[in-house]
Amino acid sequence: MPSPAGDPTYIKNKDRYFIELAKAVARGSTHPSAKGGCVIVRGREIIGDGRSILTDSKVEVDCLSYAIAASAKAGTGAIGSTIYTTRYPFSTSVFQAHVMGIARIVVLAHEWEPYYKDEFRRAARLAREVSIAI
């Protein structure tokens, strides 16, 4: 589909474009086994980005939680936004997305990492309960 006349910001395939940006963010991940990247998009504007990290104290931070925190820190409203992520979200991140008013999560992950399978099942159930499309 050609760009609409007079709209220089038109993106032909938004999902593919923003997933590629999430993949670029994932390259900065410090998690040794579960690298992940995420961008939060409202309209055509990126309002937050995050990467999965593993701290020295062995605490895992999901890339979605990181991106939501970055968006909130900037004071940017996220109601109606879409999250593009390279990993399936944790249940806490799904709930944070719900509280922020995010209605859709686009996931690149092909399959669940075996270690996190139960957590991802909980996240999927919670997403259905709070009406977030994954």
Side-chain angles (χ1 to χ4, degrees):
M1 173 181 205
S3 66
D7 187 359
T9 63
Y10 178 75
I11 299 170
K12 186 174 183 178
N13 187 334
K14 279 180 29 173
D15 289 348
R16 183 178 301 153
Y17 176 77
F18 288 116
I19 279 291
E20 289 299 320
L21 290 176
K23 287 167 59 175
V25 171
R27 287 195 285 274
S29 175
T30 61
H31 199 292
S33 61
K35 296 190 178 298
C38 170
V39 292
I40 302 175
V41 178
R42 186 181 61 213
R44 289 174 252 177
E45 177 185 4
I46 296 173
I47 61 171
D49 63 80
R51 55 197 169 94
S52 57
I53 57 176
L54 183 66
T55 66
D56 291 337
S57 59
K58 304 299 181 213
V59 173
E60 292 184 69
V61 178
D62 188 25
C63 55
L64 269 77
S65 291
Y66 194 125
I68 290 168
S71 173
K73 182 178 179 182
T76 308
I79 296 173
S81 299
T82 300
I83 292 178
Y84 295 91
T85 180
T86 61
R87 292 192 64 224
Y88 206 84
F90 291 162
S91 55
T92 53
S93 301
V94 170
F95 185 72
Q96 290 171 338
H98 167 67
V99 170
M100 293 289 288
I102 296 167
R104 183 173 173 241
I105 300 174
V106 177
V107 181
L108 176 67
H110 302 287
E111 61 185 52
W112 293 346
E113 295 97 351
Y115 181 77
Y116 299 106
K117 193 171 277 196
D118 290 336
E119 174 60 27
F120 294 154
R121 283 190 181 114
R122 284 192 294 273
R125 276 195 312 270
L126 179 60
R128 281 191 302 273
E129 288 177 24
V130 297
S131 301
I132 293 180
I134 296 182

